[in-house]
Amino acid sequence: MTTRNDRPHRYSDGQGFGDPYEGFGLGADGPVADVDPVDDYVLADVVEESQVRPDDVDVAALIEVGIEYLAIEQYEQAIDSFARAAFYAPEESAAAAEAWVSKGIAHGELSEWDEAASSHREALRIDADDGLSAAAETNLAAALWESGESTAPLEHAEAAVERDPRLAEAWYNRGYLLNERGQHEEALRCLDAAVSLGLRTAWVADERRRALEALGEFDRAAEVEERARSGLETRSLNRLREE
């Protein structure tokens, strides 16, 4: 079994912040203005729910703040931001689903698998968007696997691929789980699909090599390992040049 850190999840997509960054507020008449997301006390200590008018809350901005927290590995603050976004988002909306998926990802980064699974299930209950639901399915598969379940994760990984065949991480998760079940030929097909969709990482290469070796295709496995090592060395040299 791989650990959570060995198999990164798909993060919720956001629009990013402007340059220069102008701060964050809950609305023109709200209690908070010019808040920087690195101030980790702000959402819990400054925002008082009783003073907030739901119509004034910028749910998209709350999600963006949560994504910024994810980027700087402040996962508890990210969870708080996504929880607030889910609370204020219109019921059954895509924004609510995105907040729940993102909250599940943040819980996963803390290895809080039960909470992660609950968040992804809530996103699936809303079922507002196939892309978001696919992300919820594949992340739910990973959370269940990490919590020790063996059957349900593959079902959710397959559901993710059905919902969004363009989601590379869903193909990878399905391939990984099939490898674990000894279905190496089908696993290789899924992993090749992940690569064709742009997911070219060391952990994908490791799973492809594992499938090829199990199928007795040792020459191809060696080629995969060599290309992966060459790619890693190239990226390391590029980073050194940039520095």
Side-chain angles (χ1 to χ4, degrees):
M1 180 188 299
T2 63
T3 64
R4 172 66 182 82
N5 290 332
D6 292 332
R7 190 174 60 220
H9 287 251
R10 178 180 188 268
Y11 282 87
S12 177
D13 296 328
Q15 298 301 312
F17 289 93
D19 186 12
Y21 173 60
E22 296 180 353
F24 162 69
L26 291 177
D29 300 320
V32 179
D34 299 325
V35 172
D36 194 294
V38 299
D39 295 328
D40 60 7
Y41 63 85
V42 72
L43 289 177
D45 293 346
V46 179
V47 177
E48 295 183 16
E49 303 292 350
S50 62
Q51 298 180 26
V52 177
R53 295 195 305 241
D55 290 343
D56 290 337
V57 176
D58 188 338
V59 173
L62 273 173
I63 292 174
E64 291 291 344
V65 169
I67 291 170
E68 286 292 298
Y69 278 132
L70 281 177
I72 61 175
E73 301 182 359
Q74 296 292 318
Y75 302 122
E76 292 181 354
Q77 291 86 347
I79 289 168
D80 188 58
S81 184
F82 294 134
R84 291 174 185 274
F87 179 81
Y88 286 114
E91 292 185 20
E92 316 299 315
S93 67
E98 182 177 11
W100 282 113
V101 171
S102 301
K103 183 173 179 287
I105 290 168
H107 280 299
E109 292 289 355
L110 294 173
S111 298
E112 297 173 349
W113 304 117
D114 289 343
E115 293 87 345
S118 295
S119 293
H120 295 308
R121 285 194 174 103
E122 182 61 19
L124 290 171
R125 185 195 64 77
I126 295 171
D127 196 18
D129 175 90
D130 278 347
L132 290 170
S133 295
E137 290 279 17
T138 196
N139 286 312
L140 177 56
L144 292 174
W145 176 260
E146 295 291 356
S147 65
E149 294 196 31
S150 58
T151 302
L154 182 57
E155 296 174 359
H156 288 288
E158 290 173 342
V161 169
E162 291 174 3
R163 284 181 176 273
D164 186 0
R166 303 296 300 173
L167 182 55
E169 290 83 355
W171 285 105
Y172 167 76
N173 277 348
R174 185 167 185 259
Y176 172 84
L177 293 167
L178 288 168
N179 254 349
E180 288 292 306
R181 293 167 69 102
Q183 297 174 239
H184 302 295
E185 188 170 353
E186 181 63 15
L188 183 60
R189 187 183 74 83
C190 293
L191 295 165
D192 287 346
V195 171
S196 71
L197 290 168
L199 193 63
R200 299 179 177 89
T201 64
W203 32 278
V204 174
D206 285 344
E207 285 303 309
R208 293 185 71 223
R209 178 179 52 78
R210 179 159 74 119
L212 287 166
E213 288 177 349
L215 293 169
E217 298 190 36
F218 299 106
D219 289 342
R220 286 184 63 193
E223 290 175 4
V224 168
E225 184 175 8
E226 184 178 353
R227 285 198 298 270
R229 184 183 300 112
S230 176
L232 289 172
E233 290 173 354
T234 299
R235 285 193 289 274
S236 296
L237 286 172
N238 287 339
R239 283 197 298 270
L240 286 172
R241 292 192 187 101
E242 290 172 0
E243 293 172 359

